[in-house]
Amino acid sequence: MKWAVIVFPGSNCDQDTVLGIRRATGDEADLVWHQESTLDGYDAIVLPGGFSYGDYLRSGAIARFSPVMNAVRQAADEGRLVLGICNGFQVLTEARLLPGALLRNENLQFRCERVALEVRNNTSPFTAGYHLGEVIHIPIAHGEGRYHADEATLADLQAAGQIAFAYQHNPNGSLCNIAGVLNAKGNVLGLMPHPERAVAVWMGSEDGIRLFQSMHTYVTRQRPSVVQEDMQGGVHAG
């Protein structure tokens, strides 16, 4: 299985994400510069955290116009997996690949702490490794993570099971305690917590591992040839 981790000017979690993917799945992951125009050959694309383009204008507002975003949109349309973490989540909402928007935290504070999340959907390619209703612990680090959407959109998200994760103790004023949402097809996930920072005991939690492993398992089951490629490459097949 091949992963692409997109690098925008100002991304600062790209290397952590690559290491998290490798630790969780054994897969190789490539750093892909934002000026690339194709993502052919990649099974999963990750938009990492950071401050793309300095977060000028609005978080993710400039990154959405990067050349690589056309390829990200194409990958999503083709059913490939797209994951946005923190700033990556903001970019995906700005690009309209996910509904809603991320606003400045209600308390105007930058929140950096480990939070408790409830798994609200365990049937997606990203969350199948968790139990429904399970409480997991993953760190956040953001100043603009307050999820907002109009009432009709929130009702649709709840009815369709598109809320993947919800805060147990809301740190930023997100509506409906939303920490992560899926698109209607279920192949695009954005979340403010950082699963790549919860992949080892010394990090204080290993709860992020199953998110990456869920993606790996989904892809290898969809494409048996990927397992063969992994075995030939001598890496873990999930």
Side-chain angles (χ1 to χ4, degrees), residues 173-189:
S174 289
L175 294 179
C176 299
N177 300 323
I178 290 174
V181 297
L182 296 153
N183 68 341
K185 292 170 58 177
N187 68 313
V188 179
L189 170 69

Side-chain angles (χ1 to χ4, degrees), residues 43-174:
D43 304 293
I45 295 97
V46 184
L47 281 65
F51 302 90
S52 58
Y53 293 90
D55 278 352
Y56 290 115
L57 297 180
R58 196 172 57 245
S59 298
I62 299 177
R64 63 167 289 200
F65 295 107
S66 292
V68 77
M69 289 306 298
N70 290 327
V72 172
R73 184 178 300 279
Q74 178 182 347
D77 290 344
E78 293 173 352
R80 284 184 276 165
L81 301 184
V82 177
L83 171 65
I85 302 170
C86 196
N87 190 231
F89 186 10
Q90 295 162 339
V91 175
L92 291 177
T93 58
E94 289 288 340
R96 296 292 181 261
L97 287 169
L98 286 172
L102 283 309
L103 308 180
R104 184 161 299 203
N105 292 349
E106 187 175 58
N107 48 29
L108 302 183
Q109 295 177 335
F110 188 96
R111 300 295 295 266
C112 183
E113 60 195 78
R114 190 165 60 245
V115 298
L117 302 173
E118 178 185 351
V119 178
R120 291 283 185 87
N121 178 332
N122 72 334
T123 63
S124 80
F126 306 90
T127 58
Y130 299 104
H131 301 294
L132 185 64
E134 179 181 359
V135 176
I136 62 175
H137 296 85
I138 296 181
I140 59 169
H142 61 251
E144 298 180 18
R146 177 164 59 97
Y147 186 82
H148 180 84
D150 59 41
E151 290 185 5
T153 300
L154 291 172
D156 289 344
L157 291 175
Q158 291 176 317
Q162 290 176 241
I163 301 174
F165 300 105
Y167 299 109
Q168 279 217 310
H169 306 287
N170 195 334
N172 52 29
S174 289

Side-chain angles (χ1 to χ4, degrees), residues 23 75 83 102 119 129 159 204 214 218 226 234-235:
R23 185 180 184 90
L83 171 65
L102 283 309
V119 178
S214 295
Y218 175 83
V226 171
V235 298

